[in-house]
Amino acid sequence: GFVFMDIDNDNEAIDFASEICTEEDKYFDNCIGVLEELLGDQDFNEMHDSFLSENCDHFEDTEENKFIYTSIFQSYISKVESFIESVLSNKIDNFSMDAFFSLLQNRQQEVVGEIWDMLLSFSDFNEFKSNMIAYKKGIALNNNFFSVNSYSLQ
């Protein structure tokens, strides 16, 4: 944990993090750590890119949403969520996706960057649609979580 020096200068170090770090904090941090590793995982990126590649042609950069978008979105959620749940279950004892998502709702401010983008793509259809269109165009939006090798300008 973080060590702060006592301002009275009597050479006592106070480890605040270990005093206030709960089991819930450790569990959540472990989950986020595994997700960070997952973003660089070749199998995950291949599965993810393959899904985008197979489905992005259905998406158009218009306000109108086609009916097929919903089934593709549901398929995406199911495929990616089960991959993530499998990895988390293998690496974290007693992992529960429901418990993790419950913690996540209360700790959104603690998750940033690529992990947040990935998690947001599961719950936010517009984010998902934007990512599919960006993939189709070969352009990464806001340094999202897609692997760099997936893009080719056409």
Side-chain angles (χ1 to χ4, degrees):
F2 295 100
V3 177
F4 297 94
M5 297 308 293
D6 187 355
I7 58 172
D8 293 335
N9 221 6
D10 60 357
N11 295 327
E12 286 183 42
I14 302 170
D15 188 349
F16 288 104
S18 65
E19 291 179 22
I20 59 171
C21 191
T22 66
E23 286 302 313
E24 183 179 280
D25 293 335
K26 291 176 187 173
Y27 177 82
F28 185 76
D29 290 347
N30 286 340
C31 291
I32 296 300
V34 170
L35 289 175
E36 287 172 344
E37 290 174 16
L38 185 64
L39 289 174
D41 181 81
Q42 185 174 352
D43 291 339
F44 175 76
N45 284 310
E46 286 175 2
M47 178 274 303
H48 186 263
D49 291 349
S50 172
F51 184 90
L52 296 180
S53 179
E54 292 167 11
N55 293 285
C56 70
D57 287 336
H58 295 286
F59 288 79
E60 297 174 9
D61 195 2
T62 64
E63 292 295 315
E64 180 184 343
N65 290 322
K66 297 179 182 177
F67 287 118
I68 194 168
Y69 294 0
T70 304
S71 62
I72 293 171
F73 182 53
Q74 293 302 321
S75 176
Y76 173 79
I77 292 170
S78 175
K79 188 170 194 155
V80 177
E81 191 174 288
S82 26
F83 191 100
I84 289 172
E85 185 170 15
S86 170
V87 169
L88 286 166
S89 295
N90 287 332
K91 295 194 177 202
I92 296 178
D93 292 336
N94 302 315
F95 175 77
S96 159
M97 192 65 112
D98 290 337
F100 175 66
F101 279 137
S102 176
L103 285 174
L104 191 59
Q105 289 177 343
N106 298 323
R107 296 171 174 249
Q108 290 180 10
Q109 71 283 359
E110 296 177 39
V111 182
V112 294
E114 293 178 332
I115 299 224
W116 181 249
D117 292 342
M118 178 177 62
L119 296 172
L120 188 60
S121 74
F122 301 149
S123 60
D124 185 320
F125 172 78
N126 291 325
E127 178 76 12
F128 170 76
K129 181 182 174 185
S130 296
N131 289 338
M132 289 297 269
I133 292 166
Y135 187 91
K136 182 177 180 178
K137 290 179 178 180
I139 300 169
L141 292 177
N142 298 321
N143 297 321
N144 63 21
F145 64 99
F146 303 126
S147 66
V148 176
N149 296 332
S150 301
Y151 294 100
S152 60
L153 298 176
Q154 298 180 7

